Amino acid sequence: KGGGIYAYHSSLSLTDTVVEGNLLTAASGGYGGGLYLEGSDLLWNGGSLEGNSVTVDSDGYGGGIYATGTTISINMDTISSNLVDAADLAEGGGIWTDSDAELLLNTLSQNEVQARDAEFELGGSGGGILSAGGTLTLSVVEASQNFAGGVGGALAVLGGSLNLSSSTFSENTAFWGGALYQLDGMATLNNLLLYNNTAYDGGGAYWTESAGL
């Protein structure tokens, strides 16, 4: 847990901080290549999250950040080239969160989730960001070239609600929902540009199962 930073039931404030090139490897249960946060609120202003990874022989979550039971607020330039490479389920190449999160980003790019075993070939969700609960409030100047083997090349919302505004999504790829995938919950979408995204089965730009817009 936590290839770079591990925080448990604490409060973390980062300013102009770069978290880069951290690697978490495990036989089972890989969580947070860059940061692992459990019950620990995060306030991060300035800096970047780049080139962090989780490589695991079972399930892997959060190549850049894994945050559970927390509130996170991030205002930064770049989240890029983070990876979850898992044998089974792979979720949240850049960020995995199950609680309230507010993210203001310039660039979300070239993050990836991929499940290696054939049985789980569609097990990669949220190449850039995966939200599993709470409310995700997101604005990103450019989200591009993110990849998920399963759903949500740039963003997957599997629980909770989504507020997405003033964002551009381009050249993201997934099996379903090349740019965005939302399983259920409410979505508020404003001032978006989505172009040149690819889905191998459906929803090149946006796929929803039962979300309310």
Side-chain angles (χ1 to χ4, degrees):
K1 298 178 180 180
I5 296 173
Y6 176 98
Y8 180 78
H9 289 278
S10 58
S11 182
L12 188 62
S13 180
L14 304 175
T15 302
D16 295 331
T17 300
V18 175
V19 177
E20 182 176 1
N22 298 285
L23 170 62
L24 177 66
T25 60
S28 63
Y31 302 87
L35 294 87
Y36 175 92
L37 308 169
E38 183 176 347
S40 300
D41 292 344
L42 171 66
L43 176 63
W44 192 344
N45 287 304
S48 61
L49 180 70
E50 300 181 74
N52 303 284
S53 61
V54 170
T55 301
V56 63
D57 291 332
S58 59
D59 297 340
Y61 306 90
I65 296 173
Y66 175 88
T68 182
T70 71
T71 297
I72 62 175
S73 177
I74 297 175
N75 183 344
M76 70 164 55
D77 182 53
T78 300
I79 297 178
S80 68
S81 302
N82 300 287
L83 168 69
V84 176
D85 179 16
D88 299 339
L89 295 180
E91 297 187 347
I95 296 175
W96 188 101
T97 178
D98 63 4
S99 305
D100 290 347
E102 184 174 352
L103 309 176
L104 180 61
L105 310 173
N106 283 334
T107 304
L108 178 72
S109 67
Q110 297 181 335
N111 302 285
E112 180 177 347
V113 288
Q114 185 62 64
R116 295 191 302 272
D117 288 358
E119 181 182 355
F120 293 91
E121 63 181 349
L122 301 181
S125 303
I129 298 167
L130 186 139
S131 178
T135 297
L136 173 62
T137 301
L138 174 64
S139 177
V140 54
V141 173
E142 182 69 33
S144 64
Q145 298 179 12
N146 300 285
F147 175 83
V151 303
L155 171 64
V157 178
L158 305 186
S161 59
L162 171 65
N163 296 320
L164 178 62
S165 64
S166 302
S167 300
T168 298
F169 292 80
S170 66
E171 299 180 9
N172 301 286
T173 304
F175 196 83
W176 293 290
L180 312 173
Y181 174 92
Q182 186 166 10
L183 180 62
D184 55 23
M186 291 298 300
T188 301
L189 311 177
N190 289 298
N191 191 26
L192 305 182
L193 176 61
L194 301 98
Y195 67 96
N196 290 349
N197 299 285
T198 300
Y200 297 122
D201 188 55
Y206 180 71
W207 174 293
T208 179
E209 296 282 346
S210 56
L213 297 175

